[in-house]
Amino acid sequence: MENLTVEEALEQLLCHTKEIEETEEVSLLLARGRILAKDEKAEFDNPPFDRSPVDGYACHFEDLSEAKSDTPVCLKVIEEIDAGQYSDREVKLGEAVRIMTGAAIPTGCDCCVRQEDTDYGEDTVKIFKSKKKWQDYCFQGEDFKKDTVLLKKGTKIGFVETGILASMGRAKVLVKRKVKAAVLTTGDEVMTPGQPLLPGKIYNSNQSLLATRLLDFDVELVRIDTIQDEPQKMAEAIKEIAGQVDLIVTTGAVSVGKKDIMHEALRLIGAERIFWRVLMKPGMPTLFSVYHDVPIVSLSGNPFGVAVSVDVLIRPMLHKMTQDETLAIVHKKCVLKNEFSKKIKGRRYVRAFVDETGVMIPCGLHSNGVLATMAGCNCLIDMQEGRPGIHAGEEAEVLLL
């Protein structure tokens, strides 16, 4: 298949993408960003006892019905209970216990009094304020009840979810394993950053850009490598890594030039060719194939083409693999704050910045090989074919990055 629309290409990509079923148990503090592999159900009430929300005194509300600032009620203090302590004693009418925030409230008490409303007494305490029944009183199970499903399978673990799991007593948690991927870049003209730049060479920006974006998506990068512009070398690299990963992404060598080796490399290993070329700019020469059930997405060598394709084409694949809803692509309509005057000859994605006031296209070059003007951009404007351009005040379709 050749010259697919973006939607047709996505259909093929997702058709050959499998959800990851394997799970692993990880330490709670290493679970950030991972996807829960099962429902997490509470095994006890939390808190597991009635507790005080204040530093003060626990007692009977009936004893305080006449308490006022000028006519305090005096109660006998029978015990002090600090947080972490527990008392089996029953508090009777006329009695109180000194209690700290978070401490278990003993039997017989039905309210707590802030110490600021007392004389801070030790053996006896004067209370200057009446209370209602159950006032300043936290009940057992106030946070959650036993057998309640607190976090569902498929939930992405963040700092709040980590806190909830900790309150459930979880030291380890069952999660889906990460997507494993390889990034293989081509181009005898590219050099690794940090080396002295030789005449006729450029630095390999695609590798760092692509690898970092995949890390944004919580992908485990099993191999990151630069391969010589020789079909046999690329074929060997793919064969070597295919059994260890769920996805292989390559950049460069997908067009029709003498050094566009990907077509031959994939033929050498007997990969199934699914499609070549997507009707989009940038990223048109994208080549998609499958080798031993491992999808291989071969992207254009243009930096902006890579930046667009990783979100437009690869991100939906990762969404299906992980069922991580934060990877779902979000589109929204926004008012354009400036114009893009080029005629739209085909479907085009334009770098831009969106905020609550609208979407702004950066000044400067927008060619496929230019990456610098994408600095600070947080979205792509999806421009459909046939428009003479787009002007300030018009509505634009935006894809959030």
Side-chain angles (χ1 to χ4, degrees):
M1 291 183 283
E2 293 188 14
N3 298 320
L4 279 64
T5 65
V6 171
E7 288 72 24
E8 290 169 340
L10 283 171
E11 183 178 352
Q12 291 300 317
L13 290 166
L14 296 177
C15 179
H16 293 85
T17 298
K18 297 178 180 178
E19 180 182 348
I20 291 175
E21 301 290 349
E22 296 89 346
T23 63
E24 59 184 354
E25 194 173 54
V26 299
S27 167
L28 180 60
L29 292 182
L30 297 178
R32 185 187 67 83
R34 304 298 295 272
I35 305 299
L36 280 178
K38 66 180 184 70
D39 290 349
E40 286 291 346
K41 182 187 292 188
E43 297 173 355
F44 53 83
D45 292 342
N46 192 50
F49 47 78
D50 296 347
R51 65 178 179 178
S52 174
V54 298
D55 291 331
Y57 299 82
C59 56
H60 293 263
F61 89 101
E62 296 174 60
D63 282 332
L64 310 181
S65 60
E66 303 298 326
K68 294 179 183 178
S69 58
D70 55 349
T71 55
V73 168
C74 187
L75 301 177
K76 180 182 179 182
V77 179
I78 62 170
E79 191 174 4
E80 179 173 319
I81 306 173
D82 296 327
Q85 296 180 337
Y86 189 84
S87 174
D88 290 325
R89 294 180 67 175
E90 180 177 355
V91 179
K92 299 175 181 178
L93 287 171
E95 296 179 338
V97 294
R98 187 81 162 89
I99 199 163
M100 301 301 156
T101 300
I105 298 174
T107 303
C109 298
D110 52 22
C111 71
C112 294
V113 180
R114 297 185 311 155
Q115 61 186 13
E116 294 89 336
D117 295 323
T118 75
D119 67 349
Y120 296 77
E122 297 289 340
D123 297 321
T124 61
V125 59
K126 291 180 179 179
I127 299 175
F128 303 99
K129 190 174 182 179
S130 64
K131 305 291 283 188
K132 296 179 181 178
K133 191 172 186 179
W134 311 125
Q135 190 172 353
D136 286 327
Y137 192 105
C138 293
F139 291 95
Q140 177 175 328
E142 181 182 64
D143 189 359
F144 55 78
K145 295 287 189 181
K146 181 180 178 181
D147 295 328
T148 301
V149 174
L150 299 180
L151 298 171
K152 290 187 174 294
K153 176 182 177 181
T155 298
K156 189 167 188 173
I157 301 173
F159 73 98
V160 172
E161 290 75 18
T162 300
I164 292 171
L165 289 163
S167 68
M168 298 169 72
R170 303 287 192 267
K172 295 183 177 181
V173 60
L174 190 68
V175 297
K176 284 195 170 188
R177 74 159 175 82
K178 290 187 175 185
V179 174
K180 297 179 180 180
V183 173
L184 306 177
T185 58
T186 66
D188 290 343
E189 77 281 9
V190 298
M191 297 185 66
T192 302
Q195 298 178 330
L197 192 62
L198 300 177
K201 303 285 189 178
I202 60 172
Y203 286 122
N204 189 350
S205 61
N206 286 341
Q207 190 175 87
S208 298
L209 184 155
L210 180 57
T212 302
R213 192 57 171 155
L214 292 177
L215 289 173
D216 284 344
F217 299 147
D218 290 318
V219 171
E220 179 182 336
L221 296 177
V222 176
R223 181 176 176 183
I224 305 172
D225 209 350
T226 303
I227 311 299
Q228 292 179 358
D229 281 340
E230 297 178 21
Q232 189 62 46
K233 295 285 188 183
M234 178 60 78
E236 290 171 359
I238 292 174
K239 286 180 67 175
E240 183 180 310
I241 197 64
Q244 306 172 44
V245 297
D246 309 295
L247 173 68
I248 297 173
V249 185
T250 72
T251 67
V254 289
S255 193
V256 292
K258 184 178 178 181
K259 287 290 188 176
D260 289 317
I261 64 166
M262 285 308 304
H263 303 277
E264 177 63 12
L266 293 165
R267 188 192 66 78
L268 287 173
I269 61 175
E272 180 186 3
R273 178 169 163 150
I274 308 300
F275 67 74
W276 179 41
R277 291 181 175 161
V278 182
L279 298 176
M280 59 184 274
K281 292 182 180 181
M284 177 176 280
T286 299
L287 172 64
F288 177 52
S289 52
V290 176
Y291 177 67
H292 290 181
D293 288 332
V294 178
I296 305 171
V297 184
S298 299
L299 305 178
S300 147
N302 291 314
F304 185 55
V306 172
V308 169
S309 298
V310 69
D311 267 81
V312 173
L313 301 177
I314 295 175
R315 183 172 180 167
M317 299 175 70
L318 299 174
H319 179 214
K320 181 175 180 180
M321 286 182 183
T322 62
Q323 299 297 295
D324 178 356
E325 290 307 314
T326 66
L327 294 182
I329 291 180
V330 176
H331 294 266
K332 63 185 296 187
K333 301 282 189 181
C334 298
V335 175
L336 189 64
K337 294 197 281 188
N338 59 346
E339 72 172 25
F340 187 81
S341 57
K342 281 188 177 181
K343 179 177 173 58
I344 312 302
K345 296 179 180 179
R347 189 168 186 179
R348 182 167 186 155
Y349 291 92
V350 177
R351 65 201 87 186
F353 175 81
V354 65
D355 60 19
E356 64 278 1
T357 65
V359 60
M360 172 75 76
I361 298 172
C363 298
L365 290 175
H366 282 258
S367 60
N368 295 351
V370 172
L371 194 60
T373 51
M374 197 176 178
C377 292
N378 61 3
C379 71
L380 300 170
I381 299 177
D382 185 353
M383 294 188 177
Q384 298 295 325
E385 182 178 4
R387 296 189 65 164
I390 186 167
H391 306 283
E394 293 183 355
E395 191 173 65
E397 178 83 13
V398 167
L399 182 158
L400 301 181
L401 298 178

